[in-house]
Amino acid sequence: MDTILAMGLLIPFLGTSLGAATCLFMSGELHREVQRALTGFAAGVMVAASIWSLLIPALEESEPLGKMAFLPSAIGFALGMAFLLFLDHVIPHLHMGAHDPEGPKSHLARTTMLVLAVTLHNIPEGMAVGVVLAGFASGHGDITLASAMALSIGIAIQNFPEGAIISLPLRSAGESRTKSFVMGVLSGAVEPVGGVITILLTALIVPLMPYLLSLAAGAMMYVVVEELIPEMSEEPHSNVGTIAYAVGFIIMMTLDVALG
């Protein structure tokens, strides 16, 4: 069981690390259209994961409540959105392509704030993987090993471009290959850490599973709506980002349905 849980936690982190490793053999920044495509792809994966891996299982968990079965999911989703809104306001960060940082004023370097921006939307992904793995570890019948691994693999796929989107611009700006790689890897380190904490709290989590599944979904949807969709469609024509979004959505949906 411990090996399975470790694999589930490390697979998404491996995706980020492999993406960050692109700076070791590439020196130029990604073309803007490529960045938009990768952002759209990540958004599609996150939306599909929020629906099939988190919200649908949360609703199924709440079926004994009858007509009020929507309530835990609605509450959890709202709390997830509020949690990320709070982090967005208290953590200084700089989105890719932006000139002005968000959050409180700070004297942090731009590179640090770029990493913090990606770390912010890795938090809900780590929560999602951790909650699903905790449900599987507790013997929750609605959460199978296949569905937990499907979520981990899906998050890893969309983490690959995230790692590249961090490390390549840093390399292009003059940072060393080693530092660019390390910064890209660190942006995803919060995922396994958050997942481990979640699993360690399994005994407390299981009774609240519908709330926590939907909380992770709300947190991921906040990132999609607040950050990813604006980034993928900020140019006059957003076809590239939209098509990539559809591809990401289909891949994650297929993984979850086929493996779950």
Side-chain angles (χ1 to χ4, degrees):
M1 177 65 74
D2 290 343
T3 302
I4 293 173
L5 294 179
M7 286 178 57
L9 291 171
L10 291 177
I11 287 172
F13 183 59
L14 178 62
T16 303
S17 301
L18 290 175
T22 55
C23 72
L24 300 177
F25 52 87
M26 294 174 62
S27 56
E29 190 170 349
L30 290 172
H31 189 277
R32 183 59 188 148
E33 288 293 291
V34 176
Q35 287 190 27
R36 289 172 61 201
L38 294 177
T39 300
F41 179 85
V45 170
M46 291 177 74
V47 170
S50 296
I51 296 170
W52 271 273
S53 298
L54 300 170
L55 285 175
I56 291 178
L59 289 167
E60 290 174 347
E61 290 271 331
S62 303
E63 284 180 354
L65 296 177
K67 291 184 178 180
M68 299 300 290
F70 69 90
L71 194 57
S73 295
I75 293 173
F77 192 88
L79 289 174
M81 295 284 283
F83 177 58
L84 260 291
L85 178 62
F86 170 75
L87 293 182
D88 207 29
H89 279 80
V90 300
I91 297 177
H93 59 283
L94 178 68
H95 294 300
M96 193 64 59
H99 298 289
D100 299 319
E102 296 182 14
K105 291 183 179 180
S106 75
H107 298 290
L108 295 174
R110 289 179 65 86
T111 53
T112 302
M113 288 194 287
L114 282 170
V115 172
L116 285 174
V118 176
T119 301
L120 259 178
H121 67 78
N122 280 337
I123 290 174
E125 295 164 14
M127 290 167 52
V129 172
V131 169
V132 171
L133 286 172
F136 165 71
S138 67
H140 232 60
D142 294 330
I143 300 177
T144 65
L145 173 60
S147 62
M149 287 298 125
L151 178 61
S152 292
I153 293 169
I155 295 296
I157 291 172
Q158 70 100 25
N159 277 354
F160 181 88
E162 286 184 358
I165 286 173
I166 280 292
S167 67
L168 287 174
L170 293 178
R171 175 61 183 151
S172 179
E175 299 290 352
S176 68
R177 294 183 188 275
T178 300
K179 183 175 180 179
S180 300
F181 171 68
V182 170
M183 295 294 273
V185 170
L186 287 177
S187 71
V190 68
E191 289 190 17
V193 172
V196 168
I197 294 172
T198 304
I199 291 171
L200 291 176
L201 297 173
T202 297
L204 299 175
I205 286 172
V206 172
L208 300 173
M209 190 62 70
Y211 294 92
L212 293 173
L213 287 169
S214 49
L215 186 147
M220 287 211 291
M221 289 299 291
Y222 179 91
V223 171
V224 170
V225 176
E226 195 273 339
E227 179 186 344
L228 300 184
I229 289 179
E231 286 185 11
M232 77 181 220
S233 57
E234 63 182 8
E235 304 294 338
H237 303 291
S238 58
N239 293 348
V240 171
T242 303
I243 292 170
Y245 173 93
V247 172
F249 187 95
I250 291 168
I251 289 176
M252 185 64 228
M253 177 181 66
T254 301
L255 278 173
D256 197 276
V257 175
L259 297 181

